[in-house]
Amino acid sequence: MFDVAIIGAGFAGLTCARALRAQGLSVTVLEKSRGLGGRVATRRVEHHCFSYGARYIKVTGPATQKLLDELNHTDIADRPRLIPWPQTRRVVQADGRHDAESVTDCYIPLTGMTAIAKYLARDIPIKRQYRVNALSINADQTWTIYVESRDEPIAVARSVVLAIPAPQAEALLHPLLDKGLPPELLSAVQSVEFDPCFTIVMGYSPEHSITQVLQSDELCLPSHSDLQWIGMMRSPFSEAHDVRDGHIETTVEQPEQSTIIVAQSSPTFAAQYLEITDRQAVGHQLLTRLGHQLNVPDIHDYDWTHMHLWRYAICRQPVRQAFLLAQAPGLIGCIGDWCGGHQLEHAITSGLALSRTLPQHR
């Protein structure tokens, strides 16, 4: 029996779990993916490490300021090492003019954005690759939690926190209406709207023409474009792990010289291709548009590529509250970057706010 079961290991869920454990509560986190961080995501392809979700971390409020201060100044050995990025930015105006903008207080970990999530998750018990598909309320108002591919429950907890996108939370909450869940909580969750986004990542040789064309780390495009953002990273770093005497030693490697381009689509483009199952065809369309945008004829001459759909990329319409909480049929709450806003700042604030309130209702 746990005091709290948190579903979702994004920044909101990890922040909440961390704060609740600091108060002495027993917590378990259930995550459907192999990785941590939700839309703060990093992947390794061809020995190269790249982030394909959140672009970087920057100060947008007190929560991100406090996290950056901790990451930059703590003496903990396994904290991620941050570097300023991007160092150069250009913004494409509607008339095609390119304007250079100054960049300040933006950082990425050497080994990708997920390194921050791993740092927050240290010492937190997390069950990965467990997709929760049902919640059952018990006679004593505790919760039994079920996951896909298992007939027996995965956990029993006194309270449950849904730290997942609102549409996924709705699927778990809707069956609880007949059990006494307040309709207004479900209505609040249903009011949230997300925009989708495709992210495509390409690895190019340093001699490829795109490296001469971009000439900046970050390119922001007009809202009417099929592409919204392009980022370029040279000489990416990767993370290596070696287990010695029962301890995991982490080193940072610099692989072969390469240029990684990350491009994110507009919501309009993503909505148009959302239900197409042939991701390779979608990627071809997105790359073709990228080539036209940058006037790079050999855009398809990459060394490797990776494509990802973020179905719930950006919250277009959040709820006003920092969190949602109901005491019937049992203690259950919702947190995320869709509570009180749509940025990483709001995800962290949401998790902290619920962690302060939840223990008062136990």
Side-chain angles (χ1 to χ4, degrees):
M1 170 81 74
F2 294 95
D3 290 321
V4 186
I6 297 177
I7 301 170
F11 268 54
L14 293 175
T15 299
C16 187
R18 192 183 187 205
L20 289 171
R21 280 175 58 85
Q23 298 176 61
L25 276 67
S26 60
V27 177
T28 185
V29 177
L30 303 171
E31 168 56 44
K32 66 180 177 64
S33 304
R34 287 188 303 170
L36 304 174
R39 281 161 284 164
V40 177
T42 303
R43 180 161 292 189
R44 180 193 285 250
V45 172
E46 297 287 326
H47 307 293
H48 296 294
C49 191
F50 59 87
S51 297
Y52 60 101
R55 303 162 186 173
Y56 38 71
I57 183 170
K58 64 178 295 186
V59 175
T60 54
T64 42
Q65 179 68 72
K66 184 177 180 181
L67 177 58
L68 275 171
D69 288 344
E70 180 179 345
L71 293 174
N72 281 319
H73 302 298
T74 184
D75 292 330
I76 295 176
D78 61 351
R79 69 177 174 87
R81 285 173 276 177
L82 303 182
I83 57 172
W85 191 90
Q87 297 183 1
T88 57
R89 172 187 293 159
R90 285 187 296 148
V91 178
V92 181
Q93 306 298 337
D95 59 4
R97 179 170 41 88
H98 287 218
D99 292 339
E101 285 191 354
S102 60
V103 184
T104 58
D105 299 327
C106 298
Y107 300 91
I108 58 170
L110 280 173
T111 54
M113 290 291 288
T114 304
I116 304 176
K118 292 177 180 177
Y119 170 79
L120 295 175
R122 69 194 193 286
D123 302 325
I124 297 175
I126 300 176
K127 298 180 185 295
R128 309 192 198 196
Q129 293 184 281
Y130 284 104
R131 184 186 293 271
V132 176
N133 63 357
L135 301 172
S136 175
I137 191 68
N138 304 316
D140 60 356
Q141 292 191 309
T142 60
W143 295 96
T144 299
I145 303 166
Y146 295 88
V147 297
E148 290 180 353
S149 305
R150 289 175 64 109
D151 294 329
E152 67 276 10
I154 192 68
V156 177
R158 294 184 175 88
S159 56
V160 168
V161 175
L162 305 182
I164 51 181
Q168 296 175 350
E170 178 189 350
L172 293 174
L173 291 170
H174 199 278
L176 301 176
L177 277 178
D178 295 338
K179 306 295 184 181
L181 184 77
E184 56 269 24
L185 186 142
L186 182 61
S187 296
V189 172
Q190 291 172 328
S191 71
V192 177
E193 297 179 4
F194 282 86
D195 282 328
C197 171
F198 280 104
T199 296
I200 188 166
V201 187
M202 296 77 62
Y204 292 100
S205 68
E207 296 78 23
H208 195 278
S209 62
I210 196 170
T211 61
Q212 284 74 49
V213 170
L214 271 180
Q215 297 181 347
S216 64
D217 296 335
E218 182 180 44
L219 186 65
C220 302
L221 301 167
S223 58
H224 66 268
S225 173
D226 286 333
L227 289 148
Q228 278 201 331
W229 182 85
I230 304 169
M232 177 171 67
M233 297 189 68
R234 301 177 191 269
S235 300
F237 292 84
S238 63
E239 201 173 52
H241 302 281
D242 187 21
V243 180
R244 296 181 181 177
D245 299 325
H247 300 285
I248 300 177
E249 297 183 3
T250 301
T251 58
V252 176
E253 302 173 334
Q254 189 173 16
E256 278 183 25
Q257 190 78 293
S258 182
T259 298
I260 292 180
I261 306 296
V262 182
Q264 294 180 337
S265 78
S266 68
T268 302
F269 176 92
Q272 181 181 356
Y273 291 92
L274 195 61
E275 303 307 328
I276 294 180
T277 56
D278 187 352
R279 292 286 186 257
Q280 186 174 358
V282 178
H284 183 86
Q285 290 289 335
L286 196 56
L287 261 182
T288 300
R289 285 159 170 77
L290 179 62
H292 290 159
Q293 175 72 47
L294 301 177
N295 193 24
V296 177
D298 57 346
I299 192 73
H300 292 276
D301 295 340
Y302 48 77
D303 296 331
W304 54 266
T305 185
H306 173 76
M307 182 87 166
H308 188 83
L309 167 63
W310 298 104
R311 190 172 290 272
Y312 310 114
I314 299 293
C315 182
R316 183 174 68 250
Q317 180 173 305
V319 296
R320 293 184 178 181
Q321 306 95 312
F323 61 87
L324 302 174
L325 186 63
Q327 291 185 266
L331 192 57
I332 187 168
C334 297
I335 55 175
D337 62 356
W338 51 274
C339 294
H342 60 86
Q343 297 179 326
L344 185 61
E345 173 78 20
H346 302 107
I348 299 171
T349 300
S350 178
L352 289 174
L354 185 58
S355 73
R356 289 190 290 264
T357 301
L358 195 68
Q360 301 173 15
H361 296 273
R362 294 178 58 239

